[in-house]
Amino acid sequence: MEYSQINDMTWEQILRNKDWTYPRSVSMPLQPIGSQYFMHVNPAFNITARSVYPDTPELGEKSINFLKQKQIYELDFAFDPYAKTFDPNRSKFHRIDNHSPIIVGEYLGDGLKFIFTYYTTQTEKYVQDITTVEVKIINTNPKVESTGLMQAESDGYIPRAPFSKRATLYLKPRIFTDYSGTNDNYHPFRFNNKKWSYEDNMELDNNFLKFKDGNIFGKIIDTNMNFEIENKEYENIEGLIKIERGHVHPSDMNIDRPYADQILEKLVNVLKFQKEIAPGEECYLTFNIISNRLDNSPATIKALEKTYNKDLIISDFDKAREGKATLTCQAMDLENIFKACQNAIFQMCVDFKEHHYLLPTQGGINDRYYCWIWEAMHMIVPLLSLGYKDIVKRSIDFMFTLQDSGIKPDGEFSDFEGAIGSTGPRWICTTGSAVNAAAKYLIFTKDKDFEAEYMPKMKKAVDWILRQTENTKTTEKGKKVAWYGLLPRGTMNDGDYCYGVGFSDLYSFVGVRAFVETLKSINSPLYEEYKAKCDEYHNNIKDAFKKIAEPNGKIIKFVPSEKQSFYAAFEKEAVYLFGADIFNPFDEIMSKFATFYENECAKDIFLHTANEEESYMGTIEMTFQHYYLSTHQYKKAFVTLMANLKYGMSCDTYQVQERYSKYDPFWCPWQPNGSGSGRMIEMINKAIYFETEKEIILFGGLPPVYLKENGITELKDLRTSKGLITVKAEAVNDKIIVSLKGDYDKNKKIVLQNEEFILR
């Protein structure tokens, strides 16, 4: 299926499209709301404890030296009497209720079914979280004599009697520095015996798990298994592997055949749990571990000895969403994805004791402690339409700590007064992105205290943007230069140094435009002045695009000049133009660009391909969804959402990621992903309720067949700049009855997909 063909396809053909391999959950967060201790489960059932530091220096040599002094610890698991690591290809995971951060993992190996349940409880804010791991091991062999599983004998086959299994589980911690020298976000997940710790780094003391330095990190709470510290040398690894791959038991044939790198080379101070269990029987284990390895206070030790209630964790996240917009939509499990993405954002906005703000982190593994302002804006702004205030406001508070902070955008600027930088790479668009977030907050909430505090800050930031555009208003031979009235050259994104009209200017302009809308909403006397400046900036951006647009429709995202550099720019086209409302979406320049992009850049349903294997996910899908809805191309709009749901997030625990590999489901960069979670929420909202300058499009991004199968589909208490609305679709006979209630712009035309829809 290609985008250029979709308008001519039936809904049935679109929904029948052959799928690629779905991405796996490689980093499943457990931490409570706002915690600075990130606890992640991986597909090998291991748990990693990583801190987000309140005082990490900005990206660069200082931060590298800082992180080299910090340590991470991971608790790894192995199983079977022969001690082998769990094969990620055989593991299965899900959320206990499909949206809360309680993770359940299952594994079948050697006739034993392992069920792991992980959850984290905040025991003392800013100090310590406790992660509980519950393990159940079941002997799945039949209780009665089986004629289906046969044991070979020289003279034929005989029924095999049921047999017991020795359930064995190994635990071992490993410690490593927070700076690895490589960016693990871009490595596919792998775990084998080379990563297992063979150091003498653990001991057991009255059921407490301790590092050799004396620090306690865990406590055995309950088990019916025997346990002890085990040390063992394997003399013949190759022989052991051969035995494992042989026919020791017919039931084990073709089940969990280990690779050589799964079997541990030796056991060095490993905690072993073991129990013989008959067919159908089970054994169990429950233990707690701490998030902050350096805290061994009496309160922490006491907390380790407690048992915790999973229902209270679910309740905490449910309460955080209480009174906010709700979605009823069973198709594609959208209602659980909607909740899961909100929960993920709660987990990635970090609350520090030392600061009043929240740090809106991007997630991932490395660099989780930095804030990309552009990414943070995409994460928190969609929450405004759901009714969130505090989490958005406190994230904006952090963004504006970077105004006039010495952390500056990287470019050829005349000054930096009012500019807002980023603790990550120094993109030029950060100032406009922060202004956009603050302006949208004020438009949605009408918060007078926020207005008094932030209007001067926003004005200062907008003045910096506009002041820089004045410096490029030059002519050559009596004609305006191609970058006339744009921002100067600088770092457009990760490595691109240029006149970035398709990114730097687009998002800076979006911020300026939002500021002007704010001035209008509060009846500011500055409105006319800044409206004129905004219109001039708008026209200069349009002129630049017209100059670089090629006859075949192609538009690149930078204005060529003599001095520029490009580094790994996977997309050269100005794709963000589709979501920025710079041109009327029906203008020829837009339709020609869309046709060019669909035919020359998109591959299959992937809009942002880096190469034959790799695609960025979410950012371009969101911008094209905006364009397709604006131009009433509803099938294409749905495909952008479908592609992001299938390949921009894991389909088991709904972890959003930055990129997708067609061939390696364990290559999931920046999972979990803060901005991606925000974009997913925005795309779901727009699929149901989408506003343009003159229209309100209802359910434009969902197939009619899904709405009919749902029976009732409802987005309730969505916030707009006008107030609260509720959108509902109800299947009646062969029609879809649609209603819109609440405060919306009554002057706009309400648009439905086709004759199957009836507006009540």
Side-chain angles (χ1 to χ4, degrees):
M1 180 167 62
E2 304 288 342
Y3 273 93
S4 57
Q5 304 167 350
I6 290 172
N7 285 344
D8 297 324
M9 297 173 68
T10 65
W11 277 113
E12 184 182 9
Q13 289 172 323
I14 291 170
L15 297 175
R16 240 185 11 234
N17 184 59
K18 180 182 176 182
D19 289 340
W20 292 89
T21 301
Y22 297 135
R24 291 287 303 273
S25 295
V26 301
S27 193
M28 294 165 269
L30 303 170
Q31 68 269 14
I33 295 170
S35 176
Q36 69 184 84
Y37 305 109
F38 282 12
M39 302 295 286
H40 289 180
V41 179
N42 66 39
F45 298 93
N46 308 326
I47 313 169
T48 307
R50 298 180 175 94
S51 293
V52 178
Y53 313 107
D55 50 355
T56 307
E58 61 189 283
L59 186 67
E61 194 64 32
K62 286 183 179 179
S63 64
I64 290 173
N65 292 331
F66 174 86
L67 295 170
K68 284 179 178 178
Q69 310 304 314
K70 303 293 183 180
Q71 290 185 328
I72 295 169
Y73 91 90
E74 179 170 301
L75 188 63
D76 297 332
F77 293 91
F79 75 108
D80 188 77
Y82 301 114
K84 57 190 177 187
T85 61
F86 288 94
D87 180 1
N89 293 288
R90 295 179 56 82
S91 62
K92 305 292 181 186
F93 289 89
H94 65 274
R95 295 176 187 249
I96 198 167
D97 59 359
N98 292 326
H99 58 264
S100 297
I102 299 175
I103 303 297
V104 180
E106 297 184 3
Y107 192 96
L108 189 63
D110 297 335
L112 295 172
K113 186 174 186 179
F114 294 78
I115 302 174
F116 289 76
T117 303
Y118 308 82
Y119 51 96
T120 301
T121 305
Q122 190 168 67
T123 61
E124 187 177 353
K125 194 172 182 181
Y126 309 121
V127 179
Q128 192 63 266
D129 301 332
I130 301 294
T131 295
T132 301
V133 183
E134 299 173 355
V135 186
K136 184 189 295 184
I137 308 173
I138 306 168
N139 185 344
T140 62
N141 286 296
K143 295 181 180 180
V144 297
E145 189 175 88
S146 170
T147 56
L149 296 173
M150 312 295 286
Q151 185 169 348
E153 287 206 344
S154 57
D155 58 348
Y157 294 91
I158 59 172
R160 191 197 65 205
F163 55 88
S164 297
K165 300 287 289 184
R166 187 179 302 162
T168 310
L169 187 70
Y170 300 95
L171 277 66
K172 184 66 188 289
R174 59 191 176 105
I175 302 173
F176 45 98
T177 61
D178 205 344
Y179 181 75
S180 64
T182 61
N183 195 333
D184 296 326
N185 284 307
Y186 298 106
H187 291 211
F189 177 80
R190 303 286 188 266
F191 189 80
N192 53 40
N193 57 16
K194 301 300 181 186
K195 290 190 174 183
W196 184 269
S197 172
Y198 297 103
E199 297 178 3
D200 179 8
N201 66 355
M202 178 186 179
E203 57 188 32
L204 184 64
D205 183 5
N206 291 325
N207 290 3
F208 282 101
L209 314 181
K210 299 174 70 173
F211 291 105
K212 280 292 185 177
D213 62 10
N215 274 5
I216 293 171
F217 69 89
K219 173 77 189 302
I220 300 167
I221 300 300
D222 188 24
T223 184
N224 64 350
M225 304 176 74
N226 300 315
F227 57 92
E228 62 181 347
I229 294 291
E230 174 103 323
N231 288 279
K232 190 171 185 178
E233 290 279 351
Y234 293 116
E235 296 180 0
N236 184 4
I237 294 294
E238 293 301 321
L240 185 62
I241 294 169
K242 187 175 181 180
I243 291 172
E244 276 286 289
R245 290 179 172 175
H247 298 171
V248 178
H249 295 301
S251 66
D252 294 338
M253 293 172 63
N254 302 317
I255 295 179
D256 192 33
R257 300 287 186 85
Y259 296 101
D261 64 359
Q262 275 184 262
I263 296 180
L264 302 183
E265 298 170 4
K266 57 184 176 180
L267 300 177
V268 181
N269 272 27
V270 174
L271 181 57
K272 180 180 76 172
F273 293 84
Q274 198 166 68
K275 185 177 178 65
E276 195 85 16
I277 50 176
E281 288 187 351
E282 65 182 51
C283 53
Y284 60 85
L285 160 67
T286 300
F287 64 93
N288 292 331
I289 62 173
I290 61 177
S291 299
N292 181 2
R293 187 181 75 83
L294 300 179
D295 174 52
N296 263 201
S297 65
T300 289
I301 304 305
K302 186 176 180 180
L304 267 176
E305 300 184 89
K306 293 181 179 180
T307 57
Y308 295 95
N309 188 342
K310 293 187 285 289
D311 292 339
L312 294 179
I313 296 169
I314 295 173
S315 177
D316 285 345
F317 282 85
D318 287 349
K319 284 179 182 176
R321 298 192 313 275
E322 216 169 63
K324 308 303 186 293
T326 59
L327 174 65
T328 302
C329 182
Q330 295 178 4
M332 300 183 289
D333 204 22
L334 278 188
E335 59 188 75
N336 278 315
I337 292 171
F338 193 66
K339 294 175 184 176
C341 287
Q342 293 171 64
N343 289 344
I345 294 173
F346 300 158
Q347 290 178 293
M348 283 184 273
C349 289
V350 179
D351 188 358
F352 294 114
K353 183 178 183 179
E354 299 89 338
H355 304 292
H356 70 281
Y357 56 67
L358 295 177
L359 176 62
T361 67
Q362 178 60 355
I365 301 171
N366 299 88
D367 304 336
R368 63 193 175 279
Y369 19 70
Y370 299 126
C371 177
W372 281 254
I373 298 296
W374 179 79
E375 307 278 15
M377 177 267 294
H378 280 296
M379 174 168 66
I380 64 170
V381 168
L383 295 181
L384 289 168
S385 63
L386 308 188
Y388 292 94
K389 293 182 180 180
D390 184 69
I391 189 173
V392 179
K393 195 267 181 188
R394 292 179 66 194
S395 296
I396 292 168
D397 286 343
F398 172 78
M399 294 180 181
F400 276 80
T401 65
L402 301 178
Q403 187 173 43
D404 298 327
S405 65
I407 298 177
K408 309 167 185 175
D410 178 32
E412 299 168 14
F413 304 117
S414 59
D415 67 275
F416 294 95
E417 185 181 352
I420 298 169
S422 173
T423 56
R426 309 288 190 79
W427 299 358
I428 295 176
C429 67
T430 52
T431 303
S433 297
V435 170
N436 183 44
K440 292 286 176 59
Y441 178 86
L442 187 51
I443 290 170
F444 272 84
T445 67
K446 300 172 176 57
D447 183 331
K448 290 297 182 182
D449 291 335
F450 186 88
E451 177 185 330
E453 181 182 358
Y454 272 89
M455 284 305 291
K457 295 179 181 180
M458 284 192 276
K459 179 180 179 299
K460 191 175 184 181
V462 167
D463 284 343
W464 177 80
I465 294 171
L466 297 174
R467 195 161 59 248
Q468 303 313 309
T469 63
E470 289 294 321
N471 296 332
T472 59
K473 292 179 179 178
T474 58
T475 59
E476 291 180 359
K477 297 180 180 179
K479 293 184 178 180
K480 293 179 180 179
V481 293
W483 49 88
Y484 183 92
L486 303 182
L487 288 167
R489 278 184 294 239
T491 298
M492 177 171 59
N493 45 29
D494 289 355
D496 297 337
Y497 191 94
C498 54
Y499 290 108
V501 62
F503 194 80
S504 303
D505 283 290
L506 279 190
Y507 281 99
S508 298
F509 169 73
V510 166
V512 173
R513 182 174 61 195
F515 173 70
V516 170
E517 291 170 2
T518 304
L519 292 174
K520 184 178 182 180
S521 71
I522 63 173
N523 297 315
S524 171
L526 296 174
Y527 170 70
E528 293 297 338
E529 176 190 349
Y530 279 86
K531 174 69 165 59
K533 293 178 179 179
C534 181
D535 288 345
E536 182 183 4
Y537 190 19
H538 188 184
N539 289 329
N540 290 335
I541 291 172
K542 291 169 71 174
D543 288 345
F545 279 126
K546 290 175 182 177
K547 288 174 182 175
I548 59 178
E550 299 178 20
N552 64 355
K554 179 178 182 178
I555 305 175
I556 55 177
K557 68 175 181 178
F558 56 91
V559 178
S561 66
E562 291 180 3
K563 181 184 176 184
Q564 60 192 26
S565 63
F566 301 99
Y567 167 72
F570 290 133
E571 103 276 357
K572 293 291 194 298
E573 286 72 34
V575 280
Y576 299 98
L577 189 57
F578 290 110
D581 293 325
I582 298 297
F583 293 96
N584 184 305
F586 293 98
D587 284 353
E588 184 183 20
I589 190 172
M590 294 297 291
S591 58
K592 287 183 67 176
F593 184 27
T595 300
F596 166 83
Y597 196 90
E598 290 174 356
N599 290 323
E600 302 298 328
C601 303
K603 295 179 182 178
D604 196 79
I605 63 171
F606 300 103
L607 285 165
H608 191 174
T609 56
N611 48 52
E612 184 62 31
E613 175 177 359
E614 174 190 352
S615 296
Y616 277 82
M617 298 304 303
T619 54
I620 309 307
E621 281 73 18
M622 184 181 70
T623 57
F624 266 93
Q625 182 203 42
H626 185 100
Y627 172 73
Y628 289 143
L629 287 171
S630 298
T631 53
H632 305 164
Q633 299 183 74
Y634 303 122
K635 293 173 184 175
K636 289 182 180 179
F638 166 69
V639 171
T640 62
L641 175 61
M642 180 180 73
N644 201 23
L645 289 168
K646 287 185 175 181
Y647 308 111
M649 74 179 336
S650 64
C651 294
D652 47 9
T653 69
Y654 303 143
Q655 309 296 338
V656 182
Q657 64 205 40
E658 179 190 80
R659 308 186 206 181
Y660 165 74
S661 165
K662 290 180 179 178
Y663 301 101
D664 191 336
F666 293 101
W667 190 76
C668 304
W670 286 96
Q671 185 196 96
N673 192 278
S675 61
S677 297
R679 281 187 281 266
M680 195 70 77
I681 291 169
E682 183 167 339
M683 290 187 73
I684 292 171
N685 283 346
K686 286 183 174 179
I688 296 170
Y689 179 88
F690 179 73
E691 274 195 68
T692 69
E693 187 178 358
K694 297 180 180 180
E695 295 179 335
I696 295 173
I697 300 172
L698 302 179
F699 296 100
L702 293 178
V705 65
Y706 280 177
L707 299 175
K708 291 176 181 179
E709 289 173 359
N710 283 342
I712 291 178
T713 308
E714 183 179 55
L715 184 55
K716 185 178 181 181
D717 292 339
L718 186 73
R719 275 72 172 174
T720 72
S721 59
K722 297 290 184 182
L724 278 176
I725 61 164
T726 292
V727 193
K728 186 176 181 180
E730 186 173 0
V732 179
N733 298 325
D734 201 35
K735 297 293 183 181
I736 301 166
I737 309 301
V738 176
S739 63
L740 172 61
K741 297 179 180 179
D743 300 318
Y744 60 91
D745 192 337
K746 305 298 192 293
N747 295 317
K748 292 186 178 183
K749 179 183 177 183
I750 295 178
V751 178
L752 305 175
Q753 273 193 48
N754 55 36
E755 64 278 358
E756 291 181 81
F757 293 79
I758 298 173
L759 182 65
R760 177 181 294 166

